[in-house]
Amino acid sequence: MSKEEIKNKLIEELGVHFESEYDLPPLAARIFASLVLTEEDGLTFEDCINRRGASKSSISTSLNLLLQREFVKYFTKSGDRRRYFEIADKNIFFLKKLNRSLKHLEREGKILQKVAEYNAQFRPEKHFENTNKREVYTKCVSDMTTILKTTIEALEKQQK
């Protein structure tokens, strides 16, 4: 397989991942994947049309969605009227993703605690019945939270 074929296959796989991970429509997810893997200094609107083979209106709609969600940004080059699209905040992409995961786990831990307290007070047999499962799950959430915080701190130190 050629480099281009491998890249196209990876764009497709990454696109499917972005669809589910970020709730993106297929075309927007593929454009975002193309931006992640491009070796160029940004992609133009025309580049996106040529690479995705979609209509101008579909590409425009997808790029606008990615801009609104702050997944991408654009810049211009002196003497060139075209806009060049690139991933927004390339340097903190992983930090943002990890922080979203951390917030999700923290919410999970809080709601788990509230359910446990409710069951302890109003459904003691259910509380007792689920003790082992709850403790294992709570420990997992706690461990994952600790790992995420440690990783975020390490990445933040690299940013400085």
Side-chain angles (χ1 to χ4, degrees), residues 31-32 35-36 38 41-45 48 62-76 82-93 96:
I31 291 171
F32 189 55
L35 289 167
V36 167
T38 190
D41 187 24
L43 296 177
T44 65
F45 182 79
C48 293
S62 295
L63 284 170
N64 283 329
L65 174 69
L66 292 169
L67 285 165
Q68 287 171 358
R69 291 199 187 173
E70 298 179 344
F71 281 56
V72 302
K73 63 182 180 180
Y74 71 87
F75 62 95
T76 57
R82 297 180 295 177
R83 294 190 303 173
Y84 290 81
F85 297 91
E86 66 180 359
I87 296 173
D89 301 322
K90 283 188 239 184
N91 296 332
I92 61 168
F93 179 79
K96 287 173 85 173

Side-chain angles (χ1 to χ4, degrees), residues 20-38:
S20 63
E21 183 73 16
Y22 302 117
D23 195 28
L24 289 173
L27 181 58
R30 295 334 178 266
I31 291 171
F32 189 55
S34 295
L35 289 167
V36 167
L37 295 176
T38 190

Side-chain angles (χ1 to χ4, degrees), residues 76-118:
T76 57
K77 296 180 180 178
S78 181
D80 188 347
R81 293 176 44 189
R82 297 180 295 177
R83 294 190 303 173
Y84 290 81
F85 297 91
E86 66 180 359
I87 296 173
D89 301 322
K90 283 188 239 184
N91 296 332
I92 61 168
F93 179 79
F94 292 119
L95 273 173
K96 287 173 85 173
K97 185 168 176 51
L98 290 172
N99 274 308
R100 276 193 302 270
S101 296
L102 178 61
K103 286 179 184 173
H104 173 80
L105 279 174
E106 288 173 340
R107 284 191 308 267
E108 181 84 7
K110 287 177 185 174
I111 198 71
L112 183 64
Q113 181 63 36
K114 287 181 180 184
V115 170
E117 290 169 0
Y118 175 84

